[in-house]
Amino acid sequence: MELLVFVLASAMVLAGAIGVVTYRNPVHAALGLVLTLFGIAVHFVSMEAHFLAAVQVIVYAGAIVVLFLFVIMLLGVDRAEDLSVEPFQIQRPLAVIVGVSISGLIIAAVVRGRSTLGEQLESTVPGDDNIRELARSLYSDNVFAFELTSVLLIVAVVGTVVLTRRQRGGASK
Amino acid sequence: MTPTTTWYLVLAAILFGVGVVGLMIRRNPLVMFMCIELMLNAVNLSFVAFARAFTDISGQTAVFFVMVVAAAEVVVGLGIIIAILRRRPGANIDDLAELKG
C-alpha cells in the first residue's frame, strides 16, 4: 500500500516537473507546478508530516501558484513561447548534461551513504503529535528565527508595493 | 516492500535535476521562477525524509522556514518581473541584461 502511494505520488511529481519544463504556455507550466506540489504533499502525508502537507497545499498550491497565474494574466504573457528557437546552440545540451550530472552526483552520494541512514523506518512520533512537536521546536528552539520571518514578510510586502507602484504626476516613468 | 529514505532522496535528486535543467533552458522569467520552486520542493522533500529517518522534528522546522522564505522570494521576484515587463512587454530573460557589469 505504501509502495503504491509512493509510486503514484512520484509519478505525479515527475510528470508535473517535466510539464513545467516542457510546456510552452506559461499557464500550462503553472498547472504542472500544481501537480508537482500536490505530489509532494502526498509524500509529506505518507511521511507523517501532516502539518507541512496542509501548509504545502494552502501556501504553495493555494497562494504561490495563484500568484503566478495572476501575474501571467496581468501581464498578458500567456501566449506560447517558441521553444524551437534556441539563440545559443550549445546551451540546451549543456544544460541537460549539467542537470543529469547534478542528479547523478546526488544519487551516487545517497546510495553510497545509505548505510548511515538506517533502512527500516519505524515512526516513534504518533501522527497526532506531529503538530505539537513542530510547535515545540518552532516556539522554543527557533523562536528568534520565527520572529525574524515576520520581519522578512513585512519587508517583502513593503518592497513589492514600492517596486510595482506607478509613479503619479511629475516623475513619469 | 515499503519505500525507504533512500527512495525519497533519489526522487528529490531527480526533481532537483529537472528544476536545474528547466532553469537553464527556459527563457520566460516566470517559468524560470517555477523551476526554482521545483528545486526548493526537492530540498523540502529531502528535509522531511531525513526528519523521518532520524526521528528529529528539526527537519520539518527547516521546511517551514524554507516555505516562508520561498513565499517572500516569489512575492519580491514577481514584483520585479512586473516592474520590468510593464516597461518592456514581451521581454525574455536574454533581454534583461541591464544590470550586467
Side-chain angles (χ1 to χ4, degrees), chain A residues 76-117:
Chain A
V77 290
D78 55 337
R79 67 187 180 287
E81 179 185 4
D82 190 4
L83 283 180
S84 61
V85 177
E86 177 57 50
F88 305 114
Q89 293 296 329
I90 193 70
Q91 184 176 4
R92 199 163 286 173
L94 275 183
V96 173
I97 289 171
V98 169
V100 171
S101 310
I102 288 176
S103 292
L105 274 176
I106 299 174
I107 291 171
V110 166
V111 170
R112 266 188 77 99
R114 196 177 47 205
S115 58
T116 61
L117 284 174

Side-chain angles (χ1 to χ4, degrees), chain A residues 3 20-21 23 26 37 43 46 55-56 60 81 86 91 103 114 119 121 130 137-138 142 160 163-164, chain B residues 4-8 11 13 17 24-28 37 41 48 52 60-61 67 70 75 79-80 85-86:
Chain A
L3 184 69
V20 171
V21 176
Y23 277 135
L37 298 176
H43 279 307
S46 72
V55 171
Q56 174 89 5
Y60 265 115
E81 179 185 4
E86 177 57 50
Q91 184 176 4
S103 292
R114 196 177 47 205
E119 280 301 315
L121 290 167
N130 172 253
S137 167
L138 206 55
N142 299 297
T160 307
L163 270 177
T164 56
Chain B
T4 63
T5 308
T6 309
W7 297 24
Y8 286 105
L11 174 67
M24 287 191 284
I25 68 174
R26 294 305 295 262
R27 305 233 168 261
N28 188 330
E37 296 302 312
N41 273 282
V48 175
R52 190 173 78 149
Q60 297 191 16
T61 313
M67 283 180 178
V75 169
I80 293 173
L85 291 191
R86 189 185 278 151

